[in-house]
Amino acid sequence: MNKQTVYIAHAVDTEGPMFESLTATFDRINDHYGISLEPSKETIRRLRNHEIDLDGKEELVAEIVREDMIGQYLESWDQIDLMHETIMSESWRNTLSDSLGKPYVLSWHCMDHVNFENNPRRRAMGFHAVYEYYDQLLRDYHAPRDQINWHFHPPSISRDAHRQSCGFNINMLHNEILARRIIDHKWFPVANRPGGHYETYDINLWLEAWIPFDIAHQFTGDPEDIKRIYPIPGRFVDWRGAPTDWRIYNPDFYDHRKEGSLKRSISRCLNLRTRYNNMNEKELERAFNQAQNGENAFVGVTNHDFRDMVPEIEEFVHLVRKVSTKYPEVNFQWVNVVEGFRAALGMEKKSPPKFKFELNSEFLRMTSDKDIWGSQPFLALRTLEGRYYRDDLINDEGNQWTYSFDVHSIALNALSHIGVACNDDIGNTIVYVYEQKSNTWEEKNLHQDDWI
């Protein structure tokens, strides 16, 4: 008998090492709840035991200073390396096998920490700093089903590396990061994990232009979760009104939390062992019930690589296995994010688009043999001086686009590289990079093997 399936993807918000001083922890309490306390380990102990009167906020503050939430951050790449000796171990992953006996899988959503003036959390700064670490890690450990995806924190007006703004329109940094990833690493994202666990109108439309898969929303329907996140509802993690089951939906043009007519697929993704929106037995039972009733469910969970993920993953796997015993007619299967979307949406394999290019000193013209995701490919430019830009193309008829080298843009001989990248509607990714010096195009295809 064919069984229904719960597909489970672990999408890590991959940000590299992080440090938080004792004073910074108390600053965070003050930022969230307007409570000023004298920083000390003794105060931490008393807060954990609810021994300080906080006018009804004792439980909320106790969650911030939980023993597994502070004081155990991985503060260096050496400490993260040590965690990965277990995380990336084939034998360890095999002990966490799914219903089909397949090992645990992880998707690493890597972000860049750039354009900041203050870095009190000692983040790994620089373009590609986190990406290059994980790209090499997956090569070293031969983890073919693990994948790297997209994660971005819109920078704050304060220029503090541990803070973020509401939307992308504060600057064009996200476009520069992608231009660099395309040209420097022949990489382009197909799946998003939102920074701060939330999206806004401008983020919604930017994602709709480039990225088909969005493992994002965290609405639980629990008003207590909204209180735990931030004193001003909606400032962070604002998915109020999104579905509370485990179906994938297409967002609305004006409000990404509502179902609408946009093409992008948004799935639900809850936290592991944090202050709010946590995965629990009730949420997993919803997913298994959904599958038992004939509809495949796509479950997402997330955490951060700057905490020891080993106990968090083991605890989560134990919970999944516990719930699965109640549903013997339902399989659960570990997937990477692309595998999960494709399986849950019933997508079928097809070959990616192929491009032809015509390039001269006046224009670049590109033609695709198939439809792509969005209205145009992502165009990345690198100047001879090493500056990176994204620019828009002219949309010609059919699957054809043109870029004009003129006084309003840039001359071809001022460029060292040109990058062109896009996805299609099933998540095939295609990247082309032109090098002016050698007058050659290089092509790279991603995600053609992410099927289960």
mmCIF file with all atom_site columns, all heavy atoms in Angstrom, residues 209-222:
data_model
loop_
_atom_site.group_PDB
_atom_site.id
_atom_site.type_symbol
_atom_site.label_atom_id
_atom_site.label_alt_id
_atom_site.label_comp_id
_atom_site.label_asym_id
_atom_site.label_entity_id
_atom_site.label_seq_id
_atom_site.pdbx_PDB_ins_code
_atom_site.Cartn_x
_atom_site.Cartn_y
_atom_site.Cartn_z
_atom_site.occupancy
_atom_site.B_iso_or_equiv
_atom_site.pdbx_formal_charge
_atom_site.auth_seq_id
_atom_site.auth_comp_id
_atom_site.auth_asym_id
_atom_site.auth_atom_id
_atom_site.pdbx_PDB_model_num
ATOM 1   N N   . ALA A 1 209 ? 10.511 38.298 -7.947  1.00 0.00 ? 209 ALA A N   1
ATOM 2   C CA  . ALA A 1 209 ? 11.254 38.479 -9.195  1.00 0.00 ? 209 ALA A CA  1
ATOM 3   C C   . ALA A 1 209 ? 12.311 37.417 -9.420  1.00 0.00 ? 209 ALA A C   1
ATOM 4   O O   . ALA A 1 209 ? 12.659 37.116 -10.567 1.00 0.00 ? 209 ALA A O   1
ATOM 5   C CB  . ALA A 1 209 ? 11.914 39.866 -9.207  1.00 0.00 ? 209 ALA A CB  1
ATOM 6   N N   . TRP A 1 210 ? 12.831 36.803 -8.319  1.00 0.00 ? 210 TRP A N   1
ATOM 7   C CA  . TRP A 1 210 ? 14.028 35.979 -8.485  1.00 0.00 ? 210 TRP A CA  1
ATOM 8   C C   . TRP A 1 210 ? 13.931 34.578 -7.907  1.00 0.00 ? 210 TRP A C   1
ATOM 9   O O   . TRP A 1 210 ? 14.556 33.649 -8.430  1.00 0.00 ? 210 TRP A O   1
ATOM 10  C CB  . TRP A 1 210 ? 15.230 36.677 -7.821  1.00 0.00 ? 210 TRP A CB  1
ATOM 11  C CG  . TRP A 1 210 ? 15.393 38.115 -8.195  1.00 0.00 ? 210 TRP A CG  1
ATOM 12  C CD1 . TRP A 1 210 ? 15.297 39.191 -7.361  1.00 0.00 ? 210 TRP A CD1 1
ATOM 13  C CD2 . TRP A 1 210 ? 15.679 38.654 -9.485  1.00 0.00 ? 210 TRP A CD2 1
ATOM 14  N NE1 . TRP A 1 210 ? 15.502 40.358 -8.057  1.00 0.00 ? 210 TRP A NE1 1
ATOM 15  C CE2 . TRP A 1 210 ? 15.752 40.051 -9.366  1.00 0.00 ? 210 TRP A CE2 1
ATOM 16  C CE3 . TRP A 1 210 ? 15.891 38.074 -10.745 1.00 0.00 ? 210 TRP A CE3 1
ATOM 17  C CZ2 . TRP A 1 210 ? 16.012 40.893 -10.444 1.00 0.00 ? 210 TRP A CZ2 1
ATOM 18  C CZ3 . TRP A 1 210 ? 16.160 38.912 -11.814 1.00 0.00 ? 210 TRP A CZ3 1
ATOM 19  C CH2 . TRP A 1 210 ? 16.212 40.293 -11.665 1.00 0.00 ? 210 TRP A CH2 1
ATOM 20  N N   . ILE A 1 211 ? 13.207 34.388 -6.795  1.00 0.00 ? 211 ILE A N   1
ATOM 21  C CA  . ILE A 1 211 ? 13.355 33.156 -6.006  1.00 0.00 ? 211 ILE A CA  1
ATOM 22  C C   . ILE A 1 211 ? 12.004 32.433 -5.875  1.00 0.00 ? 211 ILE A C   1
ATOM 23  O O   . ILE A 1 211 ? 11.078 32.951 -5.239  1.00 0.00 ? 211 ILE A O   1
ATOM 24  C CB  . ILE A 1 211 ? 13.941 33.477 -4.614  1.00 0.00 ? 211 ILE A CB  1
ATOM 25  C CG1 . ILE A 1 211 ? 15.294 34.165 -4.767  1.00 0.00 ? 211 ILE A CG1 1
ATOM 26  C CG2 . ILE A 1 211 ? 14.071 32.212 -3.780  1.00 0.00 ? 211 ILE A CG2 1
ATOM 27  C CD1 . ILE A 1 211 ? 15.972 34.538 -3.471  1.00 0.00 ? 211 ILE A CD1 1
ATOM 28  N N   . PRO A 1 212 ? 11.872 31.236 -6.412  1.00 0.00 ? 212 PRO A N   1
ATOM 29  C CA  . PRO A 1 212 ? 10.574 30.546 -6.407  1.00 0.00 ? 212 PRO A CA  1
ATOM 30  C C   . PRO A 1 212 ? 10.178 29.900 -5.091  1.00 0.00 ? 212 PRO A C   1
ATOM 31  O O   . PRO A 1 212 ? 8.984  29.708 -4.840  1.00 0.00 ? 212 PRO A O   1
ATOM 32  C CB  . PRO A 1 212 ? 10.721 29.492 -7.502  1.00 0.00 ? 212 PRO A CB  1
ATOM 33  C CG  . PRO A 1 212 ? 12.191 29.262 -7.636  1.00 0.00 ? 212 PRO A CG  1
ATOM 34  C CD  . PRO A 1 212 ? 12.856 30.562 -7.285  1.00 0.00 ? 212 PRO A CD  1
ATOM 35  N N   . PHE A 1 213 ? 11.137 29.533 -4.234  1.00 0.00 ? 213 PHE A N   1
ATOM 36  C CA  . PHE A 1 213 ? 10.839 28.789 -3.013  1.00 0.00 ? 213 PHE A CA  1
ATOM 37  C C   . PHE A 1 213 ? 11.181 29.639 -1.790  1.00 0.00 ? 213 PHE A C   1
ATOM 38  O O   . PHE A 1 213 ? 12.273 30.201 -1.697  1.00 0.00 ? 213 PHE A O   1
ATOM 39  C CB  . PHE A 1 213 ? 11.624 27.478 -2.963  1.00 0.00 ? 213 PHE A CB  1
ATOM 40  C CG  . PHE A 1 213 ? 11.384 26.556 -4.125  1.00 0.00 ? 213 PHE A CG  1
ATOM 41  C CD1 . PHE A 1 213 ? 12.422 25.810 -4.668  1.00 0.00 ? 213 PHE A CD1 1
ATOM 42  C CD2 . PHE A 1 213 ? 10.121 26.430 -4.679  1.00 0.00 ? 213 PHE A CD2 1
ATOM 43  C CE1 . PHE A 1 213 ? 12.207 24.951 -5.733  1.00 0.00 ? 213 PHE A CE1 1
ATOM 44  C CE2 . PHE A 1 213 ? 9.888  25.569 -5.753  1.00 0.00 ? 213 PHE A CE2 1
ATOM 45  C CZ  . PHE A 1 213 ? 10.936 24.831 -6.287  1.00 0.00 ? 213 PHE A CZ  1
ATOM 46  N N   . ASP A 1 214 ? 10.255 29.676 -0.830  1.00 0.00 ? 214 ASP A N   1
ATOM 47  C CA  . ASP A 1 214 ? 10.391 30.562 0.330   1.00 0.00 ? 214 ASP A CA  1
ATOM 48  C C   . ASP A 1 214 ? 9.965  29.794 1.576   1.00 0.00 ? 214 ASP A C   1
ATOM 49  O O   . ASP A 1 214 ? 8.774  29.663 1.876   1.00 0.00 ? 214 ASP A O   1
ATOM 50  C CB  . ASP A 1 214 ? 9.487  31.782 0.108   1.00 0.00 ? 214 ASP A CB  1
ATOM 51  C CG  . ASP A 1 214 ? 9.817  32.948 1.010   1.00 0.00 ? 214 ASP A CG  1
ATOM 52  O OD1 . ASP A 1 214 ? 10.783 32.850 1.783   1.00 0.00 ? 214 ASP A OD1 1
ATOM 53  O OD2 . ASP A 1 214 ? 9.099  33.969 0.936   1.00 0.00 ? 214 ASP A OD2 1
ATOM 54  N N   . ILE A 1 215 ? 10.945 29.242 2.311   1.00 0.00 ? 215 ILE A N   1
ATOM 55  C CA  . ILE A 1 215 ? 10.650 28.463 3.512   1.00 0.00 ? 215 ILE A CA  1
ATOM 56  C C   . ILE A 1 215 ? 10.676 29.445 4.677   1.00 0.00 ? 215 ILE A C   1
ATOM 57  O O   . ILE A 1 215 ? 11.708 29.720 5.272   1.00 0.00 ? 215 ILE A O   1
ATOM 58  C CB  . ILE A 1 215 ? 11.622 27.268 3.678   1.00 0.00 ? 215 ILE A CB  1
ATOM 59  C CG1 . ILE A 1 215 ? 11.279 26.439 4.915   1.00 0.00 ? 215 ILE A CG1 1
ATOM 60  C CG2 . ILE A 1 215 ? 13.079 27.684 3.629   1.00 0.00 ? 215 ILE A CG2 1
ATOM 61  C CD1 . ILE A 1 215 ? 11.903 25.064 4.925   1.00 0.00 ? 215 ILE A CD1 1
ATOM 62  N N   . ALA A 1 216 ? 9.512  30.003 5.004   1.00 0.00 ? 216 ALA A N   1
ATOM 63  C CA  . ALA A 1 216 ? 9.507  31.293 5.676   1.00 0.00 ? 216 ALA A CA  1
ATOM 64  C C   . ALA A 1 216 ? 8.551  31.438 6.847   1.00 0.00 ? 216 ALA A C   1
ATOM 65  O O   . ALA A 1 216 ? 8.952  31.841 7.928   1.00 0.00 ? 216 ALA A O   1
ATOM 66  C CB  . ALA A 1 216 ? 9.187  32.376 4.631   1.00 0.00 ? 216 ALA A CB  1
ATOM 67  N N   . HIS A 1 217 ? 7.268  31.162 6.656   1.00 0.00 ? 217 HIS A N   1
ATOM 68  C CA  . HIS A 1 217 ? 6.307  31.741 7.595   1.00 0.00 ? 217 HIS A CA  1
ATOM 69  C C   . HIS A 1 217 ? 6.219  30.957 8.902   1.00 0.00 ? 217 HIS A C   1
ATOM 70  O O   . HIS A 1 217 ? 6.406  29.756 8.958   1.00 0.00 ? 217 HIS A O   1
ATOM 71  C CB  . HIS A 1 217 ? 4.953  31.947 6.914   1.00 0.00 ? 217 HIS A CB  1
ATOM 72  C CG  . HIS A 1 217 ? 3.940  30.872 7.101   1.00 0.00 ? 217 HIS A CG  1
ATOM 73  N ND1 . HIS A 1 217 ? 3.259  30.698 8.279   1.00 0.00 ? 217 HIS A ND1 1
ATOM 74  C CD2 . HIS A 1 217 ? 3.437  29.958 6.240   1.00 0.00 ? 217 HIS A CD2 1
ATOM 75  C CE1 . HIS A 1 217 ? 2.386  29.705 8.139   1.00 0.00 ? 217 HIS A CE1 1
ATOM 76  N NE2 . HIS A 1 217 ? 2.482  29.240 6.917   1.00 0.00 ? 217 HIS A NE2 1
ATOM 77  N N   . GLN A 1 218 ? 5.941  31.701 9.978   1.00 0.00 ? 218 GLN A N   1
ATOM 78  C CA  . GLN A 1 218 ? 6.036  31.159 11.336  1.00 0.00 ? 218 GLN A CA  1
ATOM 79  C C   . GLN A 1 218 ? 4.768  31.382 12.152  1.00 0.00 ? 218 GLN A C   1
ATOM 80  O O   . GLN A 1 218 ? 4.818  31.326 13.377  1.00 0.00 ? 218 GLN A O   1
ATOM 81  C CB  . GLN A 1 218 ? 7.220  31.778 12.064  1.00 0.00 ? 218 GLN A CB  1
ATOM 82  C CG  . GLN A 1 218 ? 8.575  31.385 11.519  1.00 0.00 ? 218 GLN A CG  1
ATOM 83  C CD  . GLN A 1 218 ? 9.648  31.372 12.584  1.00 0.00 ? 218 GLN A CD  1
ATOM 84  O OE1 . GLN A 1 218 ? 9.679  32.212 13.468  1.00 0.00 ? 218 GLN A OE1 1
ATOM 85  N NE2 . GLN A 1 218 ? 10.518 30.383 12.516  1.00 0.00 ? 218 GLN A NE2 1
ATOM 86  N N   . PHE A 1 219 ? 3.644  31.618 11.521  1.00 0.00 ? 219 PHE A N   1
ATOM 87  C CA  . PHE A 1 219 ? 2.440  31.901 12.302  1.00 0.00 ? 219 PHE A CA  1
ATOM 88  C C   . PHE A 1 219 ? 1.936  30.637 12.989  1.00 0.00 ? 219 PHE A C   1
ATOM 89  O O   . PHE A 1 219 ? 1.751  29.600 12.355  1.00 0.00 ? 219 PHE A O   1
ATOM 90  C CB  . PHE A 1 219 ? 1.352  32.475 11.403  1.00 0.00 ? 219 PHE A CB  1
ATOM 91  C CG  . PHE A 1 219 ? 0.152  32.990 12.156  1.00 0.00 ? 219 PHE A CG  1
ATOM 92  C CD1 . PHE A 1 219 ? 0.294  33.959 13.131  1.00 0.00 ? 219 PHE A CD1 1
ATOM 93  C CD2 . PHE A 1 219 ? -1.118 32.496 11.895  1.00 0.00 ? 219 PHE A CD2 1
ATOM 94  C CE1 . PHE A 1 219 ? -0.799 34.440 13.827  1.00 0.00 ? 219 PHE A CE1 1
ATOM 95  C CE2 . PHE A 1 219 ? -2.219 32.968 12.579  1.00 0.00 ? 219 PHE A CE2 1
ATOM 96  C CZ  . PHE A 1 219 ? -2.067 33.942 13.551  1.00 0.00 ? 219 PHE A CZ  1
ATOM 97  N N   . THR A 1 220 ? 1.733  30.728 14.296  1.00 0.00 ? 220 THR A N   1
ATOM 98  C CA  . THR A 1 220 ? 1.213  29.599 15.060  1.00 0.00 ? 220 THR A CA  1
ATOM 99  C C   . THR A 1 220 ? -0.230 29.804 15.508  1.00 0.00 ? 220 THR A C   1
ATOM 100 O O   . THR A 1 220 ? -0.880 28.855 15.937  1.00 0.00 ? 220 THR A O   1
ATOM 101 C CB  . THR A 1 220 ? 2.069  29.352 16.320  1.00 0.00 ? 220 THR A CB  1
ATOM 102 O OG1 . THR A 1 220 ? 1.962  30.489 17.194  1.00 0.00 ? 220 THR A OG1 1
ATOM 103 C CG2 . THR A 1 220 ? 3.532  29.124 15.956  1.00 0.00 ? 220 THR A CG2 1
ATOM 104 N N   . GLY A 1 221 ? -0.709 31.047 15.458  1.00 0.00 ? 221 GLY A N   1
ATOM 105 C CA  . GLY A 1 221 ? -2.045 31.357 15.958  1.00 0.00 ? 221 GLY A CA  1
ATOM 106 C C   . GLY A 1 221 ? -2.097 31.529 17.463  1.00 0.00 ? 221 GLY A C   1
ATOM 107 O O   . GLY A 1 221 ? -3.163 31.787 18.026  1.00 0.00 ? 221 GLY A O   1
ATOM 108 N N   . ASP A 1 222 ? -0.940 31.417 18.127  1.00 0.00 ? 222 ASP A N   1
ATOM 109 C CA  . ASP A 1 222 ? -0.872 31.526 19.583  1.00 0.00 ? 222 ASP A CA  1
ATOM 110 C C   . ASP A 1 222 ? -0.542 32.972 19.963  1.00 0.00 ? 222 ASP A C   1
ATOM 111 O O   . ASP A 1 222 ? 0.562  33.455 19.669  1.00 0.00 ? 222 ASP A O   1
ATOM 112 C CB  . ASP A 1 222 ? 0.205  30.582 20.118  1.00 0.00 ? 222 ASP A CB  1
ATOM 113 C CG  . ASP A 1 222 ? 0.290  30.570 21.635  1.00 0.00 ? 222 ASP A CG  1
ATOM 114 O OD1 . ASP A 1 222 ? -0.382 31.407 22.283  1.00 0.00 ? 222 ASP A OD1 1
ATOM 115 O OD2 . ASP A 1 222 ? 1.040  29.741 22.177  1.00 0.00 ? 222 ASP A OD2 1
#
